[in-house]
Amino acid sequence: MGSAKGCLHIYCGDGKGKTTAAMGLAVRAAGNGMKVLVSQCMKNGCSCEVSMLEKLGITYCCCREKFGFFWNMTEEQKEKAAEAYTALFEKVCQKAVEEAYDLLVIDEFMSAYNHGMIDQKKALDFLLHRPEGLEVVLTGREPGEELLKLADYVTEMKKIKHPFDQGIPARKGIEM
């Protein structure tokens, strides 16, 4: 769609809204006729937004196997999760390049990257050498300095108040 230089966006922080912002940008891009690929790390495709993305013609990829939270995984589960998420990352990057996508969103990238679930060297190499027109959005907490330096946009969502702090669980359609 575009011949302009694609930028790298990072939505990070401890506040709600990182995935929401990324999905909003994916919808905006698709609405503008752009070819959009959304991938989620550390999630198994059961998020409510997935069915809507697909209805909008947005391609969606995730790892269907559920590994749970990193801190609850055994060493064996961590190894299997790393294999699965590295394979997912490689698949979506290859797909984005070979099928000439305009926008690639990798939700919860930071979690997978920071915990070694994605090969960091391969990830940085891809981000540095991605096609010139490919816009990339990465979400998650605590991006490393190397990612911040590469980014064109960095937006931090800061939690000031959240219902979870008052014991209110995640609500379908709002937090999940």
Side-chain angles (χ1 to χ4, degrees):
M1 167 102 201
S3 57
K5 178 189 181 303
C7 293
L8 175 60
H9 306 238
I10 291 177
Y11 300 144
C12 60
D14 65 357
K16 179 185 175 344
K18 298 176 289 292
T19 298
T20 305
M23 297 307 159
L25 184 59
V27 168
R28 174 183 284 166
N32 197 44
M34 295 172 75
K35 193 171 178 181
V36 180
L37 174 58
V38 172
S39 178
Q40 290 184 309
C41 297
M42 315 304 276
K43 295 178 180 178
N44 68 350
C46 293
S47 299
C48 297
E49 63 267 15
V50 175
S51 63
M52 289 308 299
L53 294 175
E54 291 171 340
K55 286 178 185 174
L56 295 171
I58 295 171
T59 305
Y60 177 80
C61 296
C62 75
C63 176
R64 297 287 178 189
E65 190 172 347
K66 190 167 179 128
F67 295 102
F69 292 109
F70 181 79
W71 54 86
N72 289 334
M73 290 183 204
T74 65
E75 287 307 312
E76 185 181 338
Q77 287 172 316
K78 287 177 185 176
E79 281 181 38
K80 285 183 179 178
E83 287 174 19
Y85 291 122
T86 294
L88 174 65
F89 177 77
E90 290 172 355
K91 174 186 167 185
V92 297
C93 291
Q94 183 177 2
K95 187 173 185 67
V97 171
E98 289 178 359
E99 297 180 26
Y101 278 84
D102 299 303
L103 173 64
L104 170 61
V105 174
I106 306 177
D107 186 34
E108 289 300 341
F109 173 87
M110 277 2 130
S111 181
Y113 179 89
N114 290 342
H115 290 107
M117 300 286 111
I118 293 174
D119 184 300
Q120 291 184 351
K121 188 175 183 320
K122 287 181 182 178
L124 289 172
D125 187 60
F126 173 76
L127 294 170
L128 280 166
H129 301 103
R130 69 189 187 277
E132 188 170 319
L134 180 62
E135 199 88 10
V136 176
V137 176
L138 308 175
T139 73
R141 295 175 181 226
E142 301 174 7
E145 197 59 39
E146 70 281 10
L147 293 169
L148 294 173
K149 285 180 183 174
L150 282 177
D152 298 289
Y153 297 88
V154 177
T155 301
E156 182 177 13
M157 306 333 189
K158 180 181 177 194
K159 181 181 86 160
I160 295 171
K161 189 175 183 180
H162 195 290
F164 187 77
D165 299 333
Q166 283 76 47
I168 300 169
R171 297 164 298 146
K172 195 168 187 150
I174 305 299
E175 287 89 18
M176 59 180 209

